[in-house]
């Protein structure tokens, strides 16, 4: 019961009981409320208290990215990965932030590692499709996108990559059909 845990953690912090788990839970609530700077502050404290906790470091990376501190986010994800090398979500998040920062080669390496550590996940493959498309590697992009859709037929990154590929190849009706079907899907 995350809601109850969050409420109890917030109460414990109000009573002066500082603990990294409590700070992480309150940060989660603050993020949901759109209070990203306050969440980042809590996660920075949590990381000082538990500098080797990969979950907290990953959350710190996400909060840093949301606040526009991309270098800090990358540092936090790298620290999380150093503590837990098979932490797929940290690899993925590292790729996402590196892509945002324009380092597409590093983003690709991160997405590849996320895929290796969690081969059933669709989103790393969908993101790899998008990166391949940006480089003009159309057959590679199609392969990644199709592999992502086998894992999740509603994966937005993969569907968008295939739609862009269709447009790039002049298959406008196919692109429209694909994208309309996606927009009308219940998920």
């Amino acid at each position: 019961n995350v809601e109850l845990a969050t409420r109890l953690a917030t109460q414990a912090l109000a009573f002066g009981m500082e603990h990294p788990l409590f700070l992480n839970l309150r940060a989660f609530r603050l993020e949901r409320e759109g209070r990203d700077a306050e969440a980042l502050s809590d996660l920075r404290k949590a990381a000082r208290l538990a500098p080797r906790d990969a979950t907290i470091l990953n959350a710190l990376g996400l909060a840093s990215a949301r606040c526009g501190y991309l270098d800090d986010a990358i540092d936090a994800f790298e620290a999380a990965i150093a503590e837990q090398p098979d932490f797929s979500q940290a690899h993925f998040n590292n790729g996402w932030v590196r892509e945002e920062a324009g380092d597409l080669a590093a983003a690709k390496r991160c997405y590849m590692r996320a895929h290796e550590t969690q081969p059933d996940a669709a989103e790393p493959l969908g993101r790899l499709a998008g990166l391949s498309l940006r480089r003009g590697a159309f057959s590679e992009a199609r392969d990644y996108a199709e592999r992502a859709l086998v894992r999740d037929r509603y994966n937005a990154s993969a569907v968008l990559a295939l739609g862009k590929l269709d447009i790039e190849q002049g298959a406008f009706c196919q692109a429209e059909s694909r994208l309309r079907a996606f927009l009308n899907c219940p998920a």
Side-chain angles (χ1 to χ4, degrees):
N1 186 335
V2 177
E3 191 60 42
L4 176 60
T6 302
R7 190 169 62 244
L8 293 172
T10 301
Q11 289 172 354
L13 287 165
F15 287 120
M17 298 174 63
E18 195 168 74
H19 188 280
L21 176 62
F22 300 160
L23 290 162
N24 193 10
L25 284 166
R26 183 170 68 182
F28 177 72
R29 187 199 80 219
L30 291 168
E31 288 168 351
R32 286 191 332 216
E33 295 172 357
R35 297 163 61 187
D36 293 332
E38 293 171 77
L40 178 58
S41 177
D42 273 0
L43 288 165
R44 285 178 173 157
K45 285 181 199 170
R48 281 194 298 275
L49 293 171
R52 300 192 66 192
D53 186 315
T55 303
I56 288 173
L57 293 167
N58 184 63
L60 175 60
L62 288 169
S64 297
R66 275 193 292 281
C67 289
Y69 303 114
L70 300 185
D71 289 337
D72 292 346
I74 290 168
D75 290 344
F77 295 133
E78 291 290 335
I81 292 164
E83 293 302 326
Q84 192 175 332
D86 289 339
F87 192 173
S88 181
Q89 197 58 49
H91 286 288
F92 177 82
N93 293 335
N94 199 9
W96 163 70
V97 170
R98 288 175 182 277
E99 185 177 357
E100 288 293 313
D103 189 349
L104 303 186
K108 181 178 181 178
R109 286 191 302 274
C110 293
Y111 291 145
M112 289 296 294
R113 186 68 179 128
H115 172 62
E116 290 166 7
T117 56
Q118 192 175 7
D120 291 337
E123 191 58 17
L125 292 169
R127 290 297 185 120
L128 285 165
L131 288 177
S132 298
L133 185 64
R134 289 172 74 172
R135 289 190 349 264
F138 298 145
S139 63
E140 182 180 275
R142 185 171 301 281
D143 177 61
Y144 282 133
E146 288 172 352
R147 289 170 50 201
L149 292 176
V150 166
R151 289 157 176 79
D152 173 9
R153 65 186 177 136
Y154 299 117
N155 182 269
S157 297
V159 170
L160 291 174
L162 288 175
K164 289 176 184 177
L165 277 168
D166 292 339
I167 291 168
E168 195 65 40
Q169 296 170 344
F172 302 115
C173 291
Q174 185 173 339
E176 180 181 10
S177 175
R178 182 188 310 278
L179 296 172
R180 282 192 189 280
F182 177 72
L183 290 173
N184 291 324
C185 78

